[in-house]
Amino acid sequence: MKNFFYLEGAYLILGGVILIITLFVTTRPFMSKGAVKRGLFWVTVVLAIFIGAHYKITTDRMTEVQEAFKSGKTIICESRMQRKMAQSININKANDWTLEDNNFISPNYSRAFFIARCIVK
């Protein structure tokens, strides 16, 4: 569950803001009777589907990256440190990279890379 809140926390906050906006709009005098219940219900359903689908896709990709790394394949991770030069970095077991708690770590590199921001090459 910790992983869910870490991966989807920003989307949950954004969903809360969207629900507040929906509540505000559906309580206006020009809206029909029952618009609050219908509006909040359907917006909640749509948000739950989108957030759930995003979580499923992300965790599936994380599993795929873990298995590929264990089998020795090259992994491409987004590098946010230097946007002008190398925007991605190739990670491989042969280059002293290890996988610790969903982070790729190397003694030769200054920062770790979270596995959810990586893909298999």
Side-chain angles (χ1 to χ4, degrees), residues 19-78:
L19 285 173
I20 290 170
I21 292 169
T22 303
L23 181 64
F24 178 78
V25 170
T26 56
T27 56
R28 300 297 94 199
F30 57 84
M31 296 298 291
S32 66
K33 193 172 188 177
V36 175
K37 288 180 184 177
R38 284 193 317 271
L40 287 177
F41 173 76
W42 286 111
V43 170
T44 302
V45 167
V46 168
L47 288 172
I49 290 170
F50 286 164
I51 291 171
H54 183 265
Y55 179 71
K56 175 79 171 119
I57 291 167
T58 302
T59 54
D60 288 349
R61 187 178 64 244
M62 288 171 63
T63 303
E64 178 186 353
V65 167
Q66 278 180 331
E67 292 171 0
F69 181 74
K70 288 177 183 175
S71 67
K73 294 182 181 176
T74 301
I75 308 298
I76 301 173
C77 288
E78 176 185 26

Side-chain angles (χ1 to χ4, degrees), residues 87-106:
Q87 292 186 354
S88 63
I89 186 165
N90 292 331
I91 293 176
N92 198 320
K93 269 187 177 181
N95 296 334
D96 296 329
W97 286 93
T98 58
L99 182 59
E100 297 176 15
D101 194 33
N102 290 333
N103 288 305
F104 288 115
I105 298 172
S106 173

